C-alpha cells in the first residue's frame, strides 16, 4: 500500500493478530499505547483491531519484519464538533505505535508519520490530519512536531490510561503548510 525506503505499510490481515498480541503484551509498549494495566490477548486484539469498519488498520514492516501498527480514519461528526472543526471538512485522524522496542529511537517513527501524511494528502485528499497524544509523551510530541504537526489545544482529562484520565494535546497537520517528504 505505502512504501518509503525500507518502510512498508499495508492493511492488517487476520494472521497479523499474533504480532498485536505480542506487542500489546509487552509492558514497554503498553506504557505508551493502551496502558500496562491493559495487556491484550487474542480476544481483545480481535475486538479492538478487527471489527471497526470506520478505521483502516495497517501493519508496519521495516524490511520484511513486522514492527508496528498504524490506523487512519475520517473524523466523525462528534469529534469534529468536539475539536471545533467544520462538519463538512475532510479531516482524518491517525494513531500508531512501533511494537518492537529494538526499532525505537532510529527515526522510523518520523519516517512512518511522514509516509502516512504523504499518503493521506495525495491519495485520500485530506484537508487536515489530527492526533491526540498524551501530554506527558515527549518523544511522540517531538516526532509529530518534526513532521509538521502543531499543538492546537490541550485536551484536559481526555484519555483513560493506566488507571486515570490523562491530558492530551490536539495536534494538527495541514497539507498546505506541513512538512512534506
Amino acid at each position: 500500500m505505502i512504501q518509503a525506503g525500507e518502510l512498508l505499510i499495508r492493511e492488517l490481515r487476520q494472521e497479523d493478530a499474533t504480532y498485536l498480541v505480542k506487542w500489546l503484551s509487552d509492558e514497554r509498549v503498553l506504557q505508551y499505547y493502551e496502558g500496562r494495566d491493559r495487556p491484550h490477548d487474542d480476544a481483545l486484539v480481535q475486538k479492538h483491531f478487527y471489527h471497526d469498519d470506520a478505521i483502516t488498520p495497517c501493519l508496519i514492516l521495516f524490511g520484511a519484519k513486522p514492527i508496528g501498527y498504524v490506523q487512519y480514519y475520517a473524523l466523525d461528526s462528534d469529534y469534529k464538533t468536539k475539536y471545533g472543526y467544520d462538519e463538512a471538512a475532510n479531516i482524518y485522524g491517525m494513531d500508531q505505535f512501533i511494537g518492537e522496542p529494538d526499532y525505537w529511537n532510529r527515526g522510523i517513527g518520523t519516517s512512518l508519520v511522514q509516509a502516512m501524511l504523504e499518503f493521506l494528502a495525495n491519495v485520500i485528499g485530506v484537508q487536515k490530519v489530527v492526533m491526540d497524544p498524551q501530554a506527558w509523551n515527549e518523544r511522540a510530541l517531538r516526532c509529530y512536531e518534526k513532521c509538521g504537526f502543531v499543538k492546537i489545544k490541550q485536551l484536559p482529562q481526555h484519555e483513560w490510561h493506566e488507571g486515570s484520565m490523562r491530558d492530551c494535546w490536539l495536534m494538527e497537520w495541514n497539507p498546505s503548510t506541513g512538512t512534506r517528504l
Side-chain angles (χ1 to χ4, degrees):
M1 183 169 97
I2 302 168
Q3 182 141 22
E6 291 186 74
L7 194 64
L8 175 68
I9 303 160
R10 64 155 171 81
E11 286 201 36
L12 194 67
R13 300 175 186 151
Q14 188 58 50
E15 61 266 21
D16 299 329
T18 56
Y19 302 119
L20 292 169
V21 170
K22 174 188 174 208
W23 299 329
L24 295 173
S25 298
D26 185 329
E27 286 193 6
R28 296 169 296 176
V29 176
L30 289 169
Q31 178 181 355
Y32 299 99
Y33 198 90
E34 296 292 335
R36 290 170 285 200
D37 58 344
R38 293 198 53 193
H40 282 52
D41 59 12
D42 190 58
L44 201 50
V45 162
Q46 292 299 320
K47 179 180 174 185
H48 286 166
F49 295 92
Y50 286 95
H51 297 292
D52 188 343
D53 293 336
I55 293 173
T56 302
C58 300
L59 190 73
I60 305 163
L61 297 102
F62 192 78
K65 181 176 176 55
I67 64 162
Y69 173 82
V70 61
Q71 64 186 21
Y72 63 93
Y73 46 91
L75 227 55
D76 66 23
S77 298
D78 291 341
Y79 273 99
K80 285 180 185 175
T81 299
K82 183 178 185 175
Y83 291 162
Y85 291 114
D86 184 313
E87 181 75 26
N90 186 19
I91 301 172
Y92 269 61
M94 60 185 266
D95 306 291
Q96 59 280 317
F97 66 87
I98 296 177
E100 294 290 339
D102 289 346
Y103 288 78
W104 292 357
N105 300 314
R106 294 174 51 180
I108 296 169
T110 300
S111 296
L112 162 69
V113 171
Q114 289 174 331
M116 287 301 302
L117 293 173
E118 200 67 20
F119 170 79
L120 291 170
N122 295 331
V123 176
I124 304 294
V126 300
Q127 291 173 289
K128 295 179 182 191
V129 177
V130 296
M131 289 196 277
D132 58 359
Q134 292 181 21
W136 64 268
N137 191 345
E138 290 294 326
R139 184 170 63 194
L141 295 170
R142 278 192 310 276
C143 172
Y144 305 152
E145 287 173 332
K146 190 185 318 182
C147 293
F149 278 86
V150 176
K151 291 177 183 170
I152 300 299
K153 67 179 173 181
Q154 195 157 39
L155 304 169
Q157 306 293 297
H158 180 69
E159 183 174 275
W160 185 261
H161 186 79
E162 297 188 345
S164 64
M165 293 301 291
R166 303 289 179 101
D167 294 347
C168 294
W169 277 104
L170 174 61
M171 298 186 78
E172 176 184 288
W173 180 82
N174 182 328
S176 64
T177 59
T179 303
R180 305 291 286 276
L181 288 176

